[in-house]
Amino acid sequence: MVKTGMVDRLVLSFIYGTLILLSLSVLFPIFYVVAVSLTPFEEVLRNGGFIVVPRAITWEAYRIFLTNDRIPDAYQVTFIITVAGTLINLVLTALLAYPLSKPRLPGRKIFLLLIVFTMLFNGGIIPTYLIVKATGLLNTLWAMMIPNAVSAFNLLIMKTFYENLPESLDEAAKIDGAGEVRTLVQIVLPLSMPIMATIGLFYSVGHWNEFFQAIMYVSDTAKFPLQVVLRGILSRSQSVEELSLEETMPTESLQMAAVILTAVPIIVVYPFIQKHFTQGVLLGSIKG
Amino acid sequence: MKKAIPVLLMMVMLVGVVLAGCGDNSPSSSGKPSGQAERGDSSKDSNASKEPVEITVMLSGPGVPDLDKNPIWQQLSNDLNMDMELNVIASEYDQQLNVKMAGGTPPDLFNIGKVPLTEMGRQGLLLDLEPYLDDMPNVKALYDENLLNKGRVDGTLYALPKRADIPMDSLWIRKDWLERLDLEMPTNLETFKEVALAFTNEDPDGNGKADTYGITGTALYTFAPIFGAYGTGGPGSYAIKGGELVYTTEDPAFREALSYIADLIAAGVVDPEIMANKGTDDQQKAFQGKAGILFRGWGELVKDSYVEQYKSINPDAEWVQVGALEGPGDNYMSVWDLGRTPNRLAIPKSLEKSPEKLEQVLELLNYVTGDGKGQNIVNYGIEGTHYKVENGEVVPLPAMSDLDYSWQMQLTARDELAYLSVKFANQKPYIAFAQEQPRLEVYDSFIPVPQGVVADDKTTYETEEITKFIYGRRPLGDYDQFIETLYKQFQLQLYLDSAEDTLTELGYLQ
């Protein structure tokens, strides 16, 4: 018995050891980013450009960002497009995915084909710009939410999820007198929280990182999302020909602080959504 | 399951609340409201009877503060009685310009790169500025034919180039290292190599570790002064020697320079990461004491903030400029592109239909050019706040350092030397040194890419193969073969024809 205990303990300590090493290898880069963002840049350079434990701490990099006038607006814009945009995404994607998951829907194949088509081909930047302009979305926050409101990829994932819900659930609801809308809202939706959380996370990270649509469709600086503003603070002249002698290259500390400022809010949200990933899909809906 | 209804209701409410925030009523920190308030004060002006003319200007650059925090913008708007919407774009500039042109909403005045200028000019999207030069007397007075040529496509003036800057780069060396090792300042290719060897092998920082290299830099640009010493330029430049067009890669002197560089690399005195260095990587390595020789502009070595940076890392460090090295050639420091312009400005053809706006744009361009008030505003800010004038000289006040974005508002650039001596008074000797270095004149920026070829492919191939030659991966004996491939596969002849035609047309070649 003692022997097996020893072996068990050995195996366990090996497993834990490996896991600890693995998690350290994941955590270390994050730690490094934090450390550099808090260290005076001269200190970083003095240490050959690499530091682990900061010997001196400065909030200078964060001060530069947080005292920038555009930052409060930018956080607000990003928050709005993330929350509202994700809700729009989820409502529209679910409303499209649910009917498409029903084999009895007439013309289902054609719709699916059209949707998959958009995954492979798109109109290109200029035609899309013309549509955004024609629909009056230019220079509004809508321009960052309405185009791409339904992603074909996420739609297919959601459709597959709905297809895997047992038909008998549907039938049971029907027998109890529920119509299509009631079935979707009261039966299917509560069961699909895991997929909603997953797809919602995909969408919301996308909105949080919104950059391209913002620079293409929005020119009012008050409506710039966070990433565009951070990029503006970090970038020097992009044109290689034009030198800006007055400005000093943003330091690595500044870049790392920008990483922290955009990543932390998302990291904070993760634990609250995570529980949905682990929850069983059909928890308590059908027995036997 | 009954819980679902309240949850759904909440979601709907939340959507409502959040969407309400998306409306246009959010307080806009940019532009117009405060801009119009500004104009309230100007009622005393003679302009007051007129409504301010609205124009849109799109520039590429890292960005400028919004109107309410941008005294330069405010002052220009006031002086010219205009309502200028200014967008300064930090990324994907060309693409944004493309969609705006295609979408039928071009800005009234915008920056344009060389390639889009050629394309849009030939498509007839841009206004020919030649007839309007008379409306801009300051521009007409300051722009000579050579300068205007930089904005011409097939002989038509589709863009106003920014005025050229001056050469700023030179060789730099760690003076304290030279002194510690008791070495002379290198003056020719032999002593240069000796110093590089000593910096690598003789522990110039005295820390007992072999952790230094002689030379660092970024890609082939690292070796610009070596090509210069051989009397030629880096790969892919068009020079004129003895009245004949010379493509530097083909120049026999270039091949000799390559073998010298290959020797340096084989001796291990060059930072092995030069091909991977980007941005200011090399400058930071130099500041960290990893290398003692560097080819760079003075702006990245001796600007006050950078001197402070490298002194704080090592108080003994001292970077000084080295003059052009003597070699078998004409001893140039590097090349200087006569066709170079920091940027260009174009006006859309469609603005012809709005004469009022066009007039305003021309007035703006005229105002910020020349040594009058407008030029001083975009250069130095507001007199009394950002600068004062003493004995006819501009003297900066402390507030001037808030205007580090001003170069983006300098639509037609500036009189470079006068400007630099005001803004960088401490760096004057370095500026003069770099400017006085002998440079091989090249004409690269004048030469349009011939139709039907992909210039990037040629450049990539050229750079890759030259890298192989200097790193000994391909014997220099293969060089003729390499040139042959440039002709056969990458149509070098078309480029040379294009260069020949253009330079003859411009009068540089007889």
Side-chain angles (χ1 to χ4, degrees):
Chain A
M1 272 337 233
V2 179
K3 256 189 183 168
T4 21
M6 281 285 286
V7 171
D8 271 359
R9 225 180 284 165
L10 260 176
V11 169
L12 268 185
S13 51
F14 175 74
I15 289 173
Y16 280 125
T18 317
L19 289 179
I20 287 170
L21 276 181
L22 266 178
S23 49
L24 279 183
S25 72
V26 174
L27 288 175
F28 180 74
I30 299 175
F31 177 76
Y32 173 75
V33 168
V34 176
V36 172
S37 76
L38 287 173
T39 312
F41 189 58
E42 283 74 26
E43 183 72 28
V44 178
L45 285 182
R46 213 173 293 149
N47 285 289
F50 189 84
I51 52 145
V52 182
V53 183
R55 247 178 278 162
I57 282 194
T58 170
W59 295 95
E60 180 61 19
Y62 292 92
R63 197 190 59 77
I64 290 174
F65 283 115
L66 297 177
T67 55
N68 187 292
D69 325 313
R70 287 183 187 159
I71 288 285
D73 274 348
Y75 266 111
Q76 195 189 345
V77 167
T78 297
F79 180 77
I80 291 170
I81 61 172
T82 305
V83 175
T86 307
L87 283 173
I88 293 171
N89 293 144
L90 285 180
V91 169
L92 294 184
T93 311
L95 282 178
L96 187 52
Y98 180 66
L100 285 175
S101 74
K102 300 292 170 204
R104 61 192 144 89
L105 181 79
R108 177 171 176 258
K109 282 231 168 97
I110 295 168
F111 281 119
L112 277 175
L113 199 74
L114 290 177
I115 287 164
V116 172
F117 185 81
T118 67
M119 292 175 78
L120 304 174
F121 305 96
N122 63 62
I125 292 166
I126 292 174
T128 314
Y129 177 85
L130 292 177
I131 291 178
V132 173
K133 185 180 161 225
T135 43
L137 298 179
L138 270 193
N139 231 347
T140 66
L141 298 193
W142 297 109
M144 295 177 266
M145 297 187 277
I146 304 293
N148 299 337
V150 178
S151 130
F153 180 74
N154 290 343
L155 178 94
L156 292 182
I157 298 178
M158 207 182 262
K159 178 186 84 83
T160 315
F161 177 89
Y162 287 137
E163 277 168 356
N164 289 332
L165 288 180
E167 193 59 21
S168 40
L169 261 181
D170 227 20
E171 288 160 9
K174 221 162 254 167
I175 289 166
D176 285 345
E180 295 287 358
V181 175
R182 201 184 172 96
T183 313
L184 173 64
V185 173
Q186 285 196 345
I187 312 288
V188 176
L189 213 55
L191 288 175
S192 51
M193 276 309 147
I195 192 73
M196 285 302 205
T198 315
I199 302 288
L201 192 71
F202 288 169
Y203 278 129
S204 58
V205 171
H207 285 302
W208 185 265
N209 292 332
E210 180 57 62
F211 182 76
F212 191 71
Q213 299 190 83
I215 60 167
M216 293 311 281
Y217 308 139
V218 179
S219 53
D220 182 351
T221 49
K223 287 176 193 148
F224 278 167
L226 186 62
Q227 311 297 346
V228 176
V229 172
L230 289 182
R231 169 72 213 255
I233 300 173
L234 282 180
S235 79
R236 248 177 141 205
S237 168
Q238 65 156 356
S239 132
V240 279
E241 295 170 50
E242 185 144 26
L243 298 160
S244 66
L245 287 164
E246 285 95 332
E247 288 168 299
T248 302
M249 193 74 179
T251 62
E252 203 183 332
S253 303
L254 207 57
Q255 296 173 15
M256 293 304 173
V259 171
I260 298 291
L261 287 174
T262 69
V264 162
I266 284 282
I267 292 176
V268 168
V269 174
Y270 250 86
F272 297 100
I273 305 177
Q274 200 190 21
K275 64 175 184 202
H276 291 289
F277 295 127
T278 45
Q279 227 169 51
V281 173
L282 292 175
L283 208 65
S285 65
I286 293 182
K287 282 178 184 153
Chain B
M1 218 136 281
K2 281 204 178 125
K3 262 166 77 184
I5 292 178
V7 166
L8 200 76
L9 272 176
M10 265 182 61
M11 275 170 66
V12 171
M13 277 170 63
L14 201 62
V15 176
V17 170
V18 173
L19 294 193
C22 304
D24 215 357
N25 51 4
S26 63
S28 149
S29 68
S30 97
K32 289 185 184 166
S34 50
Q36 269 140 12
E38 285 297 323
R39 223 142 285 120
D41 310 332
S42 66
S43 51
K44 295 153 226 153
D45 286 14
S46 55
N47 280 336
S49 51
K50 273 197 294 174
E51 275 287 293
V53 180
E54 281 179 38
I55 57 167
T56 54
V57 178
M58 188 164 114
L59 305 174
S60 73
V64 298
D66 295 327
L67 180 56
D68 52 342
K69 298 198 179 56
N70 189 328
I72 299 179
W73 188 348
Q74 288 166 8
Q75 192 64 38
L76 287 179
S77 308
N78 255 334
D79 289 359
L80 299 175
N81 189 37
M82 62 175 181
D83 187 355
M84 175 169 70
E85 188 191 319
L86 176 63
N87 290 315
V88 182
I89 284 157
S91 30
E92 312 284 339
Y93 180 84
D94 285 350
Q95 224 161 32
Q96 296 196 51
L97 179 60
N98 265 333
V99 295
K100 294 230 159 74
M101 294 299 270
T105 49
D108 301 326
L109 180 68
F110 50 87
N111 279 154
I112 190 164
K114 170 123 180 104
V115 178
L117 172 69
T118 313
E119 281 169 10
M120 289 180 187
R122 286 182 177 154
Q123 286 164 10
L125 294 169
L126 306 176
L127 190 65
D128 177 4
L129 300 177
E130 208 90 54
Y132 299 98
L133 283 177
D134 286 332
D135 298 330
M136 300 184 284
N138 289 345
V139 174
K140 199 168 165 129
L142 275 172
Y143 277 60
D144 56 14
E145 278 304 296
N146 179 29
L147 186 48
L148 289 174
N149 278 339
K150 298 176 189 179
R152 289 203 165 102
V153 176
D154 308 331
T156 313
L157 186 65
Y158 283 122
L160 202 58
K162 274 193 161 187
R163 281 171 276 168
D165 42 19
I166 52 176
M168 289 187 262
D169 38 24
S170 68
L171 262 179
W172 293 83
I173 200 162
R174 274 284 290 270
K175 191 167 169 239
D176 55 313
W177 282 13
L178 279 179
E179 283 163 5
R180 185 191 292 265
L181 299 178
D182 210 13
L183 292 164
E184 293 285 312
M185 183 72 80
T187 53
N188 56 41
L189 287 171
E190 285 91 67
T191 46
F192 180 76
K193 193 173 173 185
E194 281 164 24
V195 168
L197 274 167
F199 279 3
T200 312
N201 302 326
E202 292 174 26
D203 193 23
D205 53 359
N207 68 353
K209 288 183 227 157
D211 56 356
T212 54
Y213 286 102
I215 306 159
T216 187
T218 307
L220 297 174
Y221 182 70
T222 312
F223 305 112
I226 293 170
F227 291 119
Y230 279 91
T232 186
S237 281
Y238 304 86
I240 297 175
K241 283 185 177 180
E244 294 284 319
L245 177 71
V246 173
Y247 184 67
T248 50
T249 315
E250 267 191 298
D251 191 346
F254 183 87
R255 204 183 301 199
E256 289 169 38
L258 282 190
S259 92
Y260 177 85
I261 294 166
D263 282 349
L264 281 184
I265 290 175
V269 302
V270 180
D271 170 12
E273 290 170 359
I274 54 163
M275 299 312 289
N277 284 346
K278 282 199 300 267
T280 48
D281 288 352
D282 55 340
Q283 174 232 37
Q284 292 185 7
K285 284 181 177 176
F287 284 4
Q288 288 166 25
K290 290 179 178 169
I293 301 171
L294 178 68
F295 182 71
R296 266 275 177 193
W298 56 263
E300 283 98 18
L301 263 301
V302 289
K303 224 158 65 174
D304 296 343
S305 56
Y306 286 133
V307 172
E308 199 184 314
Q309 203 176 73
Y310 80 67
K311 287 279 184 194
S312 85
I313 297 164
N314 182 351
D316 297 333
E318 192 183 353
W319 286 95
V320 296
Q321 282 163 309
V322 186
L325 301 171
E326 279 169 41
D330 287 326
N331 315 335
Y332 298 116
M333 174 56 83
S334 67
V335 297
W336 180 245
D337 188 346
L338 284 187
R340 182 188 146 80
T341 168
N343 214 324
R344 301 157 201 81
L345 286 160
I347 298 175
K349 176 91 173 153
S350 55
L351 207 65
E352 268 179 333
K353 295 183 201 108
S354 335
E356 220 187 10
K357 287 189 182 202
L358 178 56
E359 200 183 309
Q360 185 68 65
V361 169
L362 297 174
E363 197 187 338
L364 171 65
L365 285 175
N366 188 52
Y367 191 57
V368 299
T369 315
D371 50 8
K373 194 177 166 212
Q375 169 89 81
N376 276 351
I377 293 168
V378 290
N379 281 359
Y380 312 117
I382 314 297
E383 186 171 353
T385 312
H386 303 104
Y387 72 96
K388 56 185 178 184
V389 179
E390 275 174 12
N391 310 327
E393 301 245 333
V394 175
V395 178
L397 294 173
M400 194 190 272
S401 60
D402 300 342
L403 305 178
D404 60 357
Y405 56 85
S406 67
W407 61 276
Q408 299 169 79
M409 317 279 300
Q410 295 156 7
L411 298 174
T412 56
R414 60 230 177 180
D415 178 356
E416 192 74 15
L417 207 55
Y419 178 81
L420 293 179
S421 46
V422 171
K423 288 225 165 169
F424 298 96
N426 293 344
Q427 284 75 25
K428 254 183 184 166
Y430 303 108
I431 298 171
F433 185 93
Q435 198 201 1
E436 284 157 11
Q437 290 302 308
R439 315 257 169 182
L440 172 65
E441 288 177 345
V442 297
Y443 303 85
D444 306 359
S445 302
F446 281 127
I447 293 153
V449 173
Q451 278 173 343
V453 298
V454 186
D456 284 349
D457 286 355
K458 178 183 76 95
T459 313
T460 311
Y461 174 77
E462 221 170 343
T463 314
E464 274 176 5
E465 294 309 304
I466 287 169
T467 309
K468 284 184 198 163
F469 284 124
I470 60 175
Y471 278 91
R473 306 269 162 82
R474 191 171 170 185
L476 271 165
D478 275 4
Y479 204 80
D480 290 329
Q481 223 175 316
F482 158 66
I483 297 288
E484 206 180 302
T485 316
L486 277 181
Y487 275 99
K488 278 196 179 147
Q489 208 174 324
F490 296 94
Q491 312 281 355
L492 183 57
Q493 194 57 49
L494 291 180
Y495 294 85
L496 296 180
D497 293 346
S498 165
E500 193 95 39
D501 292 350
T502 313
L503 295 179
T504 312
E505 198 180 307
L506 295 177
Y508 293 108
L509 272 177
Q510 300 301 314

